[in-house]
């Protein structure tokens, strides 16, 4: 509960700092609060907390770990994006919106009740609609925010309809009651299956899986790059954690009955995104398609009896690689022409970090993206979804092609390269994150100890 | 047929008829007026279910606030003339076909499904203000309070988007 209070109060605190004219202390304040949050989670490790004796929110190890992953990613996001927001007039407003959205992510990690699930999804999404449109004078940004808003509202409506149908079938919003309803051997009526399908559709939209992925490239390309980084990491991760909690918890019977359908959705997601990404010339758009293809991997964790740990490991490695890649794109965006070409002459650290991030997304060792994909595929083989595994391997090979093409572009020779100067803090954060991509591979060996 | 049943069928017919009229009328102002009729007939359904509070809120929020906003936008943008449809024909056909098939699937599935809850989930007076307040401030206190975070975020967003920037970046 104190984690939730901390994030909500942090958002309000940022607004208060703005009123008091203390704008320059906002960033250290946020970083301190996020560090405290991680401290709280570490202190709460191993305990189960249900605020007010209700099961609205359940803070157990899985929820705490998910919240910790979001907090760590957000911490690095705030450091790296500081150079962009420093010049921004509405800096405090945008920071507050990001923190509110993170508050929704926290709810999605720990909800124990469908009412909290819906509130979490809305608190997560509504600030992001505004953030996507936050470049007010840029038409692409306006279009991005508007598209995301309209389509996201429809997805939320479908999700809500699904929740009401499940309520109609079971008579409760509580996840524990819903699971007991199934385990008591009561017949899951058609209405419940329809409801769960609609919930699944709502979440497929939020994690941008096929066939509800069409909005992703436009929205990701049009939004300000740092907001895209936030959307493709924390927003997606939070929605995925909620999906995972539902479909490996109370709705597991649905997954057992419809495993192949979900497998086909994952396969279609992988094929559609990777083949489309091949033809992209804009790196940001290519990364948007890459984000869709990762949704395919993430979605298949729910049919492969994967543990929450392996999902969170995937989310952490993908998020770190994501913020590096979008960050480097943002740092080079002010240059004309093909800004990534010959990046190694402009700034070696950025070039190396970008390559590491893309190779990690492609799943090439020693970067941790490899281990993350390995976990998913190993569990799918155990669950005997061989066709999906074949699709994954083929599409990963296609993926490796466009990731390598983009990273080779960075090492092309150019004349008259102007240097990109980074502040020491940002430079060392990029180095640290790149190192983390390798270190997580080692850490994966100890994952069973948790 | 009892009086309640007659009221139910009348309100249902009115709701469906006016909802169709919303999307079929060419003049946006008529659409908005039909939408008000739709909202009122749905509020009537809430009354039939003895949910007076919900009915009142529904009329105040939808028929009151949101409709005024709609009309205001239509007047501001001067949309009240009949407009040439710009959508392509095949888009319309595809939209109608997919919407109808979703409706068909939902109606057929929901009519086939059995409700095995045993008893009605709520007592008849569940929708009264007193009972609603008790549920809201006891069982659902946490979501109720957290909704304030949602509204605060929405408000910050709305203010940010409508605020004038001093310098054009």
């Amino acid at each position: 509960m104190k984690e939730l209070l901390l994030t909500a109060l942090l958002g309000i605190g940022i607004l208060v700092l703005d009123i008091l004219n203390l704008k320059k202390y906002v960033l250290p304040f946020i970083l301190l609060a996020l560090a405290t949050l991680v401290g709280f989670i570490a202190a709460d490790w191993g305990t189960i907390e249900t605020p007010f004796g209700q099961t609205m929110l359940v803070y157990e190890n899985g929820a705490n770990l998910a919240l910790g992953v979001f907090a760590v990613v957000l911490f690095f996001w705030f450091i790296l994006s500081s150079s962009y927001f420093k010049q921004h007039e509405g800096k405090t407003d945008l920071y507050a919106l990001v923190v509110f959205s993170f508050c929704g992510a926290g709810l999605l990690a720990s909800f124990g009740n469908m009412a909290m699930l819906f509130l979490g999804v809305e608190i997560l999404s509504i600030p992001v609609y505004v953030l996507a449109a936050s470049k007010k004078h840029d038409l692409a940004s306006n279009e991005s925010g508007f598209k995301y808003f309209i389509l996201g509202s429809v997805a939320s409506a479908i999700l809500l309809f699904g929740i009401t149908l499940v309520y109609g079938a079971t008579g409760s919003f509580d996840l524990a009651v819903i699971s007991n309803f199934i385990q008591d051997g009561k017949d899951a009526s058609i209405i419940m299956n329809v409801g769960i399908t609609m919930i699944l559709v709502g979440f497929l939209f939020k994690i941008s899986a096929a066939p509800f992925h069409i909005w992703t490239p436009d929205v990701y390309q049009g939004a300000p790059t740092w907001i895209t980084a936030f959307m493709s990491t924390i927003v997606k991760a939070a929605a995925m954690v909620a999906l995972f909690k539902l479909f490996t918890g109370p709705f597991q019977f649905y997954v057992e009955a419809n495993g192949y359908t979900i497998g086909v959705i994952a396969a279609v997601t992988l094929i559609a995104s990777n083949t489309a990404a091949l033809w992209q010339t804009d790196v940001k758009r290519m990364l948007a398609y890459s984000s869709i293809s990762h949704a395919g991997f993430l979605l298949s964790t729910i049919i492969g009896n994967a543990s929450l740990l392996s999902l969170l490991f995937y989310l952490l490695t993908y998020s770190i690689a994501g913020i590096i890649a979008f960050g480097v794109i943002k740092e080079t965006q002010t240059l004309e022409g093909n800004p990534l070409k010959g990046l190694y002459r402009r700034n070696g650290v950025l070039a190396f970090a970008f390559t590491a991030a893309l190779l990690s997304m492609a799943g090439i060792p020693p970067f941790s993206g490899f281990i993350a994909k390995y976990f998913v595929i190993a569990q799918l083989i155990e669950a005997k979804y061989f066709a999906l595994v074949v699709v994954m391997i083929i599409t990963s090979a296609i993926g490796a092609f466009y990731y390598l093409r983009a990273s080779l572009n960075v090492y092309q020779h150019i004349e008259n390269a102007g240097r990109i100067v980074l502040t020491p803090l940002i430079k060392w954060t990029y180095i640290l994150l790149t190192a983390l991509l390798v270190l997580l591979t080692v850490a994966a060996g100890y994952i069973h100890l948790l | 047929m009892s009086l309640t049943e007659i009221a139910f069928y009348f309100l249902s017919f009115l709701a469906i008829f006016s909802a169709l009229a919303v999307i079929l009328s060419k003049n946006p102002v008529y659409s908005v007026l039909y939408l008000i009729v739709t909202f009122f007939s749905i509020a009537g359904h809430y009354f039939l279910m003895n949910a007076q509070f919900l009915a009142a809120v529904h009329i105040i929020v939808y028929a009151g606030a949101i409709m005024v906003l709609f009309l205001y936008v239509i007047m501001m943008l001067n949309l009240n003339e009949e407009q040439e449809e710009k959508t392509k024909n095949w888009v319309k056909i595809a939209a109608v076909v997919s919407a109808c098939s979703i409706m068909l699937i939902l109606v057929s599935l929901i009519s086939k499904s059995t409700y095995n809850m045993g008893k009605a989930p709520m007592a008849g007076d569940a929708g009264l203000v007193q009972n609603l307040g008790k549920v809201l401030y006891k069982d659902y206190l946490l979501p109720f309070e957290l909704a304030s975070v949602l509204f605060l975020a929405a408000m910050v967003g709305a203010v940010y988007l409508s605020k004038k920037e001093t310098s054009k970046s």
Side-chain angles (χ1 to χ4, degrees):
Chain A
M1 186 63 194
K2 52 184 179 290
E3 291 91 346
L4 179 64
L5 278 179
L6 181 74
T7 42
L9 289 178
L10 173 63
I12 298 165
I14 295 167
L15 297 172
V16 172
L17 282 184
D18 187 17
I19 297 170
L20 299 176
N21 236 341
L22 296 168
K23 267 192 187 182
K24 58 183 171 189
Y25 299 113
V26 165
L27 189 64
F29 180 64
I30 295 171
L31 294 181
L32 190 69
L34 285 176
T36 319
L37 182 69
V38 175
F40 280 162
I41 291 167
D44 275 357
W45 191 252
T47 60
I48 295 177
E49 194 203 349
T50 50
F52 306 120
Q54 291 175 325
T55 49
M56 287 287 163
L57 293 174
V58 182
Y59 287 97
E60 27 76 47
N61 274 0
N64 280 334
L65 195 62
L67 192 54
V69 168
F70 302 155
V72 167
V73 174
L74 193 67
F75 186 85
F76 289 120
W77 184 89
F78 269 117
I79 293 178
L80 291 183
S81 66
S82 60
S83 59
Y84 167 67
F85 285 108
K86 200 180 273 170
Q87 311 299 332
H88 208 289
E89 211 173 309
K91 173 175 121 173
T92 43
D93 298 346
L94 296 183
Y95 275 173
L97 286 173
V98 168
V99 169
F100 284 135
S101 183
F102 172 67
C103 187
L107 289 182
L108 287 184
S110 54
F111 70 97
N113 190 299
M114 290 295 206
M116 291 314 251
L117 167 76
F118 185 68
L119 259 183
V121 168
E122 287 302 282
I123 298 178
L124 180 77
S125 319
I126 286 186
V128 180
Y129 302 147
V130 179
L131 287 169
S134 64
K135 254 192 207 165
K136 278 186 263 181
H137 300 290
D138 184 20
L139 264 185
S141 172
N142 294 351
E143 181 203 338
S144 153
F146 203 69
K147 265 188 186 165
Y148 194 28
F149 174 55
I150 299 282
L151 296 174
S153 318
V154 174
S156 292
I158 291 175
L159 176 71
L160 188 59
F161 196 6
I163 291 174
T164 54
L165 288 183
V166 170
Y167 179 82
T170 59
S172 176
F173 285 130
D174 198 287
L175 292 193
V177 177
I178 295 173
S179 346
N180 286 340
F181 183 84
I182 300 302
Q183 279 161 10
D184 290 349
K186 282 191 193 146
D187 186 30
S189 59
I190 300 171
I191 199 167
M192 178 135 180
N193 280 302
V194 176
I196 296 172
T197 310
M198 292 184 106
I199 292 175
L200 181 66
V201 167
F203 273 109
L204 287 183
F205 174 87
K206 296 282 174 198
I207 65 163
S208 66
F212 309 103
H213 66 288
I214 318 280
W215 58 278
T216 318
D218 289 346
V219 171
Y220 278 23
Q221 194 183 20
T225 308
W226 274 112
I227 304 305
T228 312
F230 181 73
M231 281 197 280
S232 73
T233 55
I234 290 169
V235 175
K236 184 175 235 176
M240 189 56 224
V241 167
L243 179 68
F244 187 86
K245 269 178 76 121
L246 281 178
F247 283 83
T248 55
F251 299 160
Q252 190 159 22
F253 78 96
Y254 180 86
V255 175
E256 278 160 13
N258 301 296
Y260 271 95
T261 317
I262 297 172
V264 168
I265 295 174
V268 171
T269 307
L270 286 165
I271 295 168
S273 59
N274 281 303
T275 45
L278 273 181
W279 313 107
Q280 303 307 320
T281 45
D282 185 290
V283 190
K284 214 169 148 189
R285 213 175 162 81
M286 185 205 89
L287 282 178
Y289 279 107
S290 129
S291 162
I292 303 171
S293 92
H294 285 282
F297 271 93
L298 292 170
L299 185 63
S300 51
T301 54
I302 64 173
I303 52 173
N305 298 320
S307 63
L308 183 65
L309 263 182
S310 60
L311 174 72
L312 287 176
F313 187 81
Y314 197 111
L315 288 173
L316 183 63
T317 57
Y318 170 67
S319 297
I320 290 176
I323 55 175
I324 293 176
F326 283 113
V328 172
I329 291 174
K330 182 63 206 171
E331 296 288 350
T332 55
Q333 225 167 34
T334 44
L335 307 167
E336 289 121 33
N338 185 351
L340 284 172
K341 194 172 173 188
L343 180 65
Y344 86 107
R345 300 253 300 172
R346 298 177 197 275
N347 191 313
V349 172
L350 283 185
F352 184 70
F354 189 67
T355 317
L358 288 196
L359 292 185
S360 177
M361 283 188 191
I364 292 169
F367 300 106
S368 51
F370 167 72
I371 300 284
K373 286 190 176 180
Y374 167 80
F375 279 150
V376 174
I377 290 178
Q379 277 149 345
L380 279 180
I381 289 175
E382 218 165 285
K384 299 202 165 54
Y385 285 99
F386 297 116
L388 181 57
V389 170
V390 172
V391 171
M392 274 180 175
I393 290 167
I394 293 172
T395 50
S396 286
I398 299 173
F401 173 73
Y402 61 78
Y403 287 124
L404 283 176
R405 188 178 58 187
S407 46
L408 282 181
N409 196 13
V410 168
Y411 294 100
Q412 271 175 13
H413 187 77
I414 49 160
E415 302 293 332
N416 313 324
R419 296 284 299 170
I420 298 173
V421 186
L422 298 174
T423 61
L425 174 69
I426 291 182
K427 183 176 132 190
W428 283 102
T429 311
Y430 275 115
I431 294 172
L432 174 69
L433 286 178
T434 314
L436 261 182
L437 280 181
V438 181
L439 286 177
L440 278 172
T441 317
V442 183
Y446 298 95
I447 207 166
H448 62 277
L449 293 179
L450 269 174
Chain B
M1 234 196 266
S2 70
L3 196 63
T4 329
E5 269 179 50
I6 296 172
F8 172 77
Y9 284 114
F10 174 69
L11 285 172
S12 306
F13 172 76
L14 197 64
I16 293 173
F17 169 77
S18 52
L20 280 175
V22 171
I23 52 171
L24 290 178
S25 56
K26 289 237 158 111
N27 190 326
V29 178
Y30 288 169
S31 287
V32 170
L33 293 176
Y34 278 120
L35 199 54
I36 297 178
V37 178
T38 315
F39 285 143
F40 268 96
S41 47
I42 292 171
H45 277 295
Y46 290 140
F47 269 116
L48 283 184
M49 288 187 279
N50 210 8
Q52 289 102 330
F53 181 71
L54 198 55
V57 167
H58 195 262
I59 290 175
I60 293 169
V61 173
Y62 284 92
I66 291 180
M67 277 306 103
V68 171
L69 213 64
F70 262 130
L71 275 176
Y72 192 68
V73 169
I74 288 170
M75 300 300 178
M76 284 280 282
L77 299 179
N78 210 8
L79 291 174
N80 51 349
E81 300 121 37
E82 296 194 4
Q83 290 201 329
E84 200 64 24
E85 291 283 336
K86 288 191 191 83
T87 339
K88 287 187 192 104
N89 264 334
W90 66 267
V91 175
K92 276 191 215 164
I93 293 168
V96 167
V97 168
S98 46
C100 286
S101 36
I102 288 179
M103 194 186 82
L104 195 70
I105 291 168
L106 279 180
V107 167
S108 68
L109 288 179
I110 290 173
S111 64
K112 265 188 197 165
S113 56
T114 49
Y115 293 85
N116 41 14
M117 278 186 296
K119 62 178 173 63
M122 287 174 188
D125 57 353
L128 298 184
V129 186
Q130 193 187 10
N131 297 322
L132 195 70
K134 272 184 192 156
V135 171
L136 204 56
Y137 287 95
K138 255 168 140 181
D139 302 344
Y140 288 89
L141 183 61
L142 195 57
F144 179 76
E145 294 292 342
L146 273 170
S148 62
V149 177
L150 177 64
F151 295 139
L152 185 60
M155 205 162 68
V156 171
V159 170
Y160 170 77
L161 282 183
S162 52
K163 201 163 59 180
K164 206 175 192 177
E165 276 178 10
T166 42
S167 64
K168 220 173 177 180
S169 54

